[in-house]
Amino acid sequence: MDLLDVVQKLSFAPPVFHPDFISKLGEKVVLPDASFPKPTHNSNAVDSKGGAVPQAIAHRGHTAKYPENTIEAFKGAVHAGAHAVETDVRLTKDGVVVLSHDSNLKRCYGKDKQIKDCTWDELKTFYTIQEPHSPLTRLQDLLELFQRPHWRNIWILVDVKIDSDSEELMQRVASTFRRVDPGHGSRWQDKAKFIPLCSQYFPGFAITNIGFSTAYSSQIFDVTDTGFTVAQATIVSPSGRRFIQKAHRQDRSVYCWTVNDKKSMDWCVKNKLEGVVTDDIPSFLSFCETYNEEASHQWPRKLLLWLLYFNFWIFIFGIAFRQRYGSCIKTGATSKAEKKWV
């Protein structure tokens, strides 16, 4: 019995220690010997005073006002001034790529069903619990919004969920991008930032690793020119600061999720992150416009307790994961069957 076995027996252990999730992370991954381009939007935004500030990335759309991962949320985010939208993709029973953070529909749609067990014909009849009641959205529906004139310079951050069938999901996401023309003479390669898929499916796309542990994400430094999207609770720790410094020395982008309070916004601006993933686009943009480097912001007590709690479990995760799996990522030329991504 190792430390992971002990932690997994605790009823109060976080979901990250669930056997199915952690075994997926622990799979040995061989990264293909391929180069990936730097993203075209890897710099800071500029405020009205000419200062560098992080780009505003809408977390599942403008979720402070609309139901998450819906067309209304994405339209609202761009109308509010977002530089990019972030979303999550999953696969239906009949192979349609839909947008949902959760694998189960209960929280957002009031249906205690798994997306992978439902066909699109069934799912398209479900509406969000939150008003305005909105239907479940396909990836294709979101991509078609990029054809609108005022979406010309918007880019997209796609979180491919690891509990799906990776091989089929890769193929379906890629075919969806190929089916939809982004318009304006542009390319999806210049708009899609986080697609953890091998070069077989998305040649020419920039990739960004999304994670909650800098210890785990550090393995991705072996892949040329990848960026990083890291959980806020991890990135504000001393190890997180060192991680940012290393990434910036290598000219790599670092984004932070999810940033909603003024202290967190202030921290991200001061540490020169390239972007923040936020639920409230107007509040973040307003903060950047009125940013005062000398102003003092306090961590909200509830958030501070959460940061301590989160980092305690991430510390335990790092020890337990390395004890069982060691380093699970290596680079090198691979056969088609070996090409996997985290």
Side-chain angles (χ1 to χ4, degrees):
M1 179 180 290
D2 60 12
L3 181 57
L4 268 179
D5 289 320
V6 174
V7 175
Q8 287 169 347
K9 292 181 182 298
L10 301 176
S11 60
F12 53 85
V16 68
F17 289 98
H18 190 280
D20 291 343
F21 181 82
I22 206 163
S23 63
K24 197 80 172 178
L25 285 180
E27 290 178 358
K28 294 296 180 181
V29 177
V30 181
L31 300 176
D33 187 13
S35 60
F36 296 91
K38 289 183 181 295
T40 57
H41 295 56
N42 68 334
S43 60
N44 297 93
V46 178
D47 62 20
S48 60
K49 300 182 290 294
V53 294
Q55 296 184 68
I57 306 166
H59 186 227
R60 308 174 201 166
H62 186 2
T63 51
K65 187 174 181 181
Y66 302 97
E68 66 183 58
N69 278 324
T70 61
I71 290 298
E72 288 79 4
F74 297 121
K75 288 180 179 177
V78 172
H79 180 74
H83 301 99
V85 294
E86 183 268 354
T87 191
D88 315 272
V89 293
R90 295 185 180 277
L91 208 57
T92 67
K93 184 178 181 179
D94 52 345
V96 176
V97 184
V98 297
L99 309 183
S100 177
H101 176 270
D102 301 355
S103 60
N104 188 284
L105 296 160
K106 182 69 174 177
R107 178 175 65 88
C108 293
Y109 296 89
K111 308 289 185 181
D112 192 12
K113 295 185 176 185
Q114 295 290 321
I115 289 176
K116 65 181 181 181
D117 297 330
C118 300
T119 64
W120 171 242
D121 280 344
E122 180 181 10
L123 290 171
K124 68 183 181 182
T125 66
F126 297 160
Y127 284 73
T128 58
I129 297 171
Q130 181 183 340
E131 294 183 350
H133 304 301
S134 307
L136 193 71
T137 305
R138 298 174 301 173
L139 175 61
Q140 179 175 333
D141 301 324
L142 171 57
L143 297 186
E144 288 172 351
L145 291 179
F146 284 82
Q147 297 170 349
R148 300 185 174 198
H150 57 290
W151 280 64
R152 182 185 183 94
N153 295 316
I154 306 300
W155 54 272
I156 183 172
L157 186 67
V158 183
D159 184 350
V160 181
K161 292 304 183 184
I162 66 172
D163 55 351
S164 301
D165 181 328
S166 301
E167 187 73 14
E168 183 179 5
L169 184 55
M170 287 179 188
Q171 294 173 357
R172 299 286 185 176
V173 171
S175 65
T176 304
F177 271 92
R178 286 195 297 269
R179 256 195 331 269
V180 181
D181 181 356
H184 320 299
S186 58
R187 310 177 308 155
W188 284 121
Q189 288 93 324
D190 299 328
K191 293 177 177 291
K193 292 294 262 307
F194 174 67
I195 304 178
L197 307 173
C198 70
S199 55
Q200 176 185 352
Y201 296 101
F202 279 89
F205 278 68
I207 63 170
T208 300
N209 171 259
I210 183 170
F212 55 87
S213 167
T214 53
Y216 186 90
S217 295
S218 291
Q219 299 175 94
I220 312 297
F221 276 112
D222 290 335
V223 185
T224 304
D225 288 334
T226 51
F228 300 93
T229 304
V230 189
Q232 176 201 30
T234 300
I235 207 72
V236 300
S237 67
S239 63
R241 292 187 180 91
R242 291 192 294 272
F243 183 89
I244 293 171
Q245 291 167 0
K246 180 177 180 180
H248 284 171
R249 284 198 300 271
Q250 297 185 17
D251 194 27
R252 303 188 188 219
S253 301
V254 181
Y255 313 105
C256 177
W257 58 275
T258 305
V259 178
N260 291 324
D261 66 276
K262 289 186 177 181
K263 177 59 180 177
S264 299
M265 295 175 185
D266 178 69
W267 193 94
C268 291
V269 174
K270 285 181 177 176
N271 284 273
K272 304 184 186 306
L273 299 193
E274 281 69 31
V276 303
V277 181
T278 178
D279 294 321
D280 194 340
I281 292 293
S283 293
F284 177 70
L285 293 175
S286 175
F287 179 87
C288 291
E289 283 299 315
T290 59
Y291 178 67
N292 180 358
E293 190 173 358
E294 303 302 322
S296 177
H297 300 280
Q298 300 299 317
W299 290 108
R301 182 183 297 273
K302 186 176 180 180
L303 178 59
L304 186 58
L305 292 174
W306 164 246
L307 294 177
L308 293 173
Y309 170 84
F310 189 95
N311 278 283
F312 168 77
W313 283 113
I314 290 301
F315 177 73
I316 298 299
F317 171 86
I319 295 174
F321 189 88
R322 284 192 296 270
Q323 183 184 70
R324 178 176 294 185
Y325 297 108
S327 175
C328 61
I329 297 176
K330 64 179 181 178
T331 57
T334 65
S335 68
K336 177 180 177 181
E338 291 176 313
K339 290 184 178 181
K340 296 181 179 180
W341 282 88
V342 294

